[in-house]
Amino acid sequence: MRLVRYGETGAEKPGMMDGDTLRDLSGVIDDITGATLDDATLARLRDLDPASLPAVSGKPRLGPCVGAIGKFLCIGLNYSDHAAETGAEIPKHPILFFKANSAIVGANDTVMMPRGSTHTDWEVELGVVIGKTAKYVSKENALDHVAGYCVVNDVSERHFQTQLTGQWTKGKSCDTFGPTGPWLVTRDEVPDPQKLGMWLDVNGKRMQTGNTATMIFTVAEIIEHLSHLFTLHPGDVITTGTPPGVGMGMKPDPVYLKVGDVMTLGIDGLGEQRQEVGQDA
């Protein structure tokens, strides 16, 4: 299934994609959140006849594909070729940082560069949405705790991230720096999350091309590692790193976003995003 949340910011309704038709789920569930991502609820939704659900007219805004996200967890330097382009050593354990939930926006919402930003960068990433509480799980059963997968653009302000004393969170958490969606694809439709092609363009020029096969730590290994540090709850989202081609890694000189630029990005089977770049007031 492809589950969506549509409508104005803060007033999104739950929906389901039926081919190219958006169907309204608000008569069945209140929202798509951790409370509705358990296996039983997803099975109930899967048994619905999509044609029995009201079709949504027009082309409404698509909000973040998960509402009321609990923790927004991010894994850094998780692609061997991306680590190489940044000159970083291959990490021995998953590098973890947090992205503020206030950064989360819809897949096609405007990305706003913060005041004083000159180093805003792009990162296409596979997002993993937890559907069942995970604590001390093994990598062998870790994927059983996943509700589904989505596209995330881990937008980053590199000066804030690396030059303002502190953790990476400073450069990752600016408002609008977490486009998530367009939809949540349930795990039954993603048989192997380590075989997904991914890409990102800026102004129509291909910047990133990669595949989740080159992850240093697999999705299952990441869930195992994190669940031994703290409990993962339904509705938590984990972004799992980016392939090479980010602006800071361009040679001979880095390339960063400017107002008016357009990012388009996608992952096989998980949909596409499009964001224009604006300037925060």
Side-chain angles (χ1 to χ4, degrees), residues 168-229:
W168 286 6
T169 298
K170 288 184 177 181
K172 299 284 189 172
S173 293
C174 304
D175 295 347
T176 74
F177 273 23
T180 302
W183 37 68
L184 170 65
V185 179
T186 51
R187 75 172 187 269
D188 57 299
E189 296 196 12
V190 185
D192 188 350
Q194 306 306 146
K195 292 183 178 179
L196 301 175
M198 53 207 309
W199 57 273
L200 182 145
D201 295 349
V202 177
N203 300 329
K205 180 180 179 181
R206 183 59 46 92
M207 296 297 189
Q208 289 186 276
T209 301
N211 194 290
T212 57
T214 66
M215 282 186 184
I216 298 167
F217 303 103
T218 66
V219 172
E221 289 169 339
I222 290 168
I223 292 172
E224 177 185 59
H225 180 75
L226 296 182
S227 76
H228 282 69
L229 303 175

Side-chain angles (χ1 to χ4, degrees), residues 256-271:
Y256 295 112
L257 294 167
K258 307 180 301 299
V259 173
D261 284 346
V262 175
M263 293 177 283
T264 50
L265 55 147
I267 299 178
D268 291 348
L270 303 185

Side-chain angles (χ1 to χ4, degrees), residues 114-197:
R115 290 182 185 179
S117 171
T118 56
H119 293 72
T120 297
D121 204 348
W122 54 84
E123 292 190 12
V124 59
E125 304 205 6
L126 172 66
V128 180
V129 181
I130 298 298
K132 182 169 67 175
T133 300
K135 185 176 177 66
Y136 298 125
V137 302
S138 68
K139 63 182 180 182
E140 287 75 22
N141 65 12
L143 298 186
D144 295 339
H145 298 262
V146 173
Y149 302 91
C150 62
V151 182
V152 174
N153 189 354
D154 178 21
V155 185
S156 309
E157 214 300 338
R158 303 301 188 186
H159 179 78
F160 295 4
Q161 177 185 350
T162 63
Q163 301 302 314
L164 300 185
T165 304
Q167 298 180 337
W168 286 6
T169 298
K170 288 184 177 181
K172 299 284 189 172
S173 293
C174 304
D175 295 347
T176 74
F177 273 23
T180 302
W183 37 68
L184 170 65
V185 179
T186 51
R187 75 172 187 269
D188 57 299
E189 296 196 12
V190 185
D192 188 350
Q194 306 306 146
K195 292 183 178 179
L196 301 175

Side-chain angles (χ1 to χ4, degrees), residues 60-109:
R61 167 187 174 269
L62 297 182
C65 59
V66 181
I69 290 174
K71 296 185 285 295
F72 201 41
L73 305 157
C74 306
I75 305 300
L77 297 176
N78 194 36
Y79 285 70
S80 54
D81 34 13
H82 172 56
E85 75 173 342
T86 63
E89 294 183 5
I90 299 298
K92 294 182 175 61
H93 307 283
I95 294 173
L96 173 66
F97 60 92
F98 284 74
K99 206 173 184 82
N101 285 29
S102 53
I104 301 168
V105 292
N108 303 314
D109 289 346

